[in-house]
Every structure is written in C-alpha cells, then in structure tokens.
Amino acid sequence: MAASLVAPACYYASAPATGEVPGGTDAQIASTEFPCEVAQVLATCWNCHTNPPKGGAPIPLTTRAELAAASSLGGTYAERALIRMRDTAKPMPPTGFPRPDAAGIDAFAAWVQSGMPMGSCEGVPGGGGVAPTVCSSGQKFPAVFDDGSPDMNPGLPCRACHLREEEDEARFFMGTVYPTLHEEDRCYSDVPTGTRVEIIDRNGVVALTLPVRPRGNFMSNSFNANVTLPFTARVVSPTGDVMQMTTPQMSGDCNGCHTEQGANGAPGRILLPSN
C-alpha cells in the first residue's frame, strides 16, 4: 500500500502554546507542563501536532491532557507516540525530518512509564543550529561549469538565477528532489524513474504534473505559473508513495526555500517519499 507523508513547505506549522518549535541557533523550548527532556522530544512533533493540528496530523500533542487521552488504537496517545518513535518501518517524525535521538526517546519512555508526571522547563536549546550536510550520490555538478543542461546546479534556486542571467529559461516551477533533508548544493540526486511532482492549484486540483529527472531536477515548461495561485505540491514516487506539501505558496522557485539548511521556515530539501 502506498504511504503518504506530510512535509512542511516553506513555513513550519505554528508553535504550540507550551513552547517554541526549534528552528535556529537561538531556539528555546519552554514548558509549564513537561520536564525539559520531554519537551525537547515533543518539540520534534510540534511542526504538525499543534492545536489545532497542521499538515494532516489527526490530533494535537501539546499538553499532558492530550497525551494522556485514550487512543482508539489502544493505550494513551503518549504510548502510541512512543511506539511510532521506535517504529523503524513507519517512524514519526517521518524519515528525513528532525527526530529525537535514542537517549531522548528513552527519556520520553521513562516519563510515560512513570505516569507522565507534570514538570516545567524554563528554557533549553531546541536543537537548532547548522545540520551536517551530505552528498548521498557522491557526485556533484561542477561549481564553475554551466553546460545549459536540465541537470545543472541541482539544489540551487534555479528560477532566480535564470531571471538574472537567462530569462527565457526561467520556468515558473523549478526545484530538486533529494533522498535526505540536508543534501549539499550542486549534489546530484538519485531519483527512481517515474517520480513526479504534482502542482495543486488553489481549488485543490492537480494542475500540472512535472517529471523528476534521474539526477533530481524538475521544471515546468512556461515562464508563467499557468495555475490558479496559491499552490501546493506533492512528490509522488513510482510506487505511489507521496510526500505532501501543505502550506500554500506563491513562488515556484522551490530551492529558494528548500536549501541545504532550509530557509523561511523550510526544514531543508524537497524529500523523495520513503516506502
């Protein structure tokens, strides 16, 4: 069965009332309900599990009462959250997004098993800062070479560059799909044949389908959007797995936000859906 993952677009969901979602070197988490080690783990959930929930999340997880509520699948939502954190096949947060480390998950488990005692946290680092980058393919486009090919300069803001230097090639929708969140600029991707990006117009209709090239780049055929803005988008794998963007956008220069580290609230690169 095809999987569906929800990915933040150029803007994260709003932070919960209990604290701030980590997003930079100065990000802090503060809580009047959770111990610091628990708040740090839950902060990785709060891009979507806010109140109200964002990005297709079914429930909020911002208060102790919400975590202690009974799940229809059995146990409490805190216990279900712990199961998903430890699920290697279908983890939460989804593969490619910031996740708590093993020590954090163990601390969350101990808190759940001890009855979820109330706590407080006056402010601890939220885990922001510069994430290490990789080039998963091991191959990069030459930094000083411009061959005019559709595979050139993967990961860079294509439309902005073309508007400066070659306006007739500035397609409205341009970007790069990668297997991990923090791929290096100019790193070639490795995308299965048949992967596509679907552009969804303001009315929820798939208005454009853009094939993704094996090295990751995709682009539309026109300088103009030719869709009713604002739009959202989704990456669809050949097997039907989906990575969905939920925040409406006006700019189609996708790599302008989906940079190595992420800009304007984006978590990093446009991700290839995982199975």
Side-chain angles (χ1 to χ4, degrees):
M1 180 180 295
S4 180
L5 305 176
V6 176
C10 256
Y11 304 97
Y12 277 124
S14 56
T18 50
E20 297 182 16
V21 174
T25 54
D26 297 325
Q28 296 284 307
I29 300 169
S31 173
T32 58
E33 294 203 16
F34 304 119
C36 287
E37 65 273 15
V38 173
Q40 285 181 299
V41 171
L42 289 173
T44 65
C45 308
W46 289 338
N47 286 319
C48 296
H49 290 278
T50 54
N51 193 358
K54 304 286 187 178
I59 55 166
L61 296 175
T62 62
T63 67
R64 183 190 179 282
E66 289 164 353
L67 286 158
S71 166
S72 61
L73 298 176
T76 65
Y77 281 115
E79 291 168 328
R80 296 302 307 174
L82 180 59
I83 290 171
R84 293 302 301 276
M85 289 178 194
R86 289 174 165 170
D87 189 334
T88 57
K90 294 183 178 180
M92 280 292 173
T95 300
F97 290 93
R99 294 177 48 76
D101 59 19
I105 294 175
D106 287 345
F108 183 77
W111 179 73
V112 172
Q113 291 161 5
S114 64
M116 296 184 288
M118 295 286 285
S120 63
C121 183
E122 294 184 358
V124 294
V130 178
T133 58
V134 298
C135 182
S136 298
S137 69
Q139 299 181 340
K140 300 186 77 171
F141 184 85
V144 294
F145 181 63
D146 179 357
D147 63 359
S149 82
D151 294 322
M152 65 181 290
N153 290 326
L156 295 179
C158 316
R159 180 173 167 84
C161 180
H162 283 296
L163 285 172
R164 291 193 307 268
E165 301 181 10
E166 198 175 10
E167 187 171 338
D168 59 340
E169 293 296 328
R171 318 295 175 83
F172 190 87
F173 296 103
M174 306 182 82
T176 312
V177 175
Y178 279 111
T180 70
L181 203 58
H182 301 293
E183 297 278 344
E184 296 172 3
D185 286 342
R186 296 189 175 89
C187 177
Y188 287 129
S189 188
D190 185 10
V191 176
T193 300
T195 302
R196 65 188 187 273
V197 171
E198 294 180 342
I199 305 299
I200 303 165
D201 70 13
R202 183 176 62 191
N203 301 312
V205 176
V206 176
L208 288 175
T209 298
L210 311 177
V212 181
R213 296 179 59 80
R215 286 180 163 176
N217 283 352
F218 63 88
M219 66 202 73
S220 58
N221 293 322
S222 175
F223 180 87
N224 298 312
N226 295 330
V227 304
T228 306
L229 300 176
F231 73 94
T232 57
R234 61 190 177 212
V235 183
V236 185
S237 76
T239 58
D241 298 307
V242 175
M243 184 66 80
Q244 176 78 50
M245 181 180 79
T246 60
T247 304
Q249 303 293 321
M250 296 296 291
S251 170
D253 197 0
C254 305
N255 291 345
C257 287
H258 291 281
T259 62
E260 286 183 354
Q261 297 295 322
N264 299 318
R269 298 301 192 184
I270 301 171
L271 280 177
L272 182 71
S274 59
N275 294 327

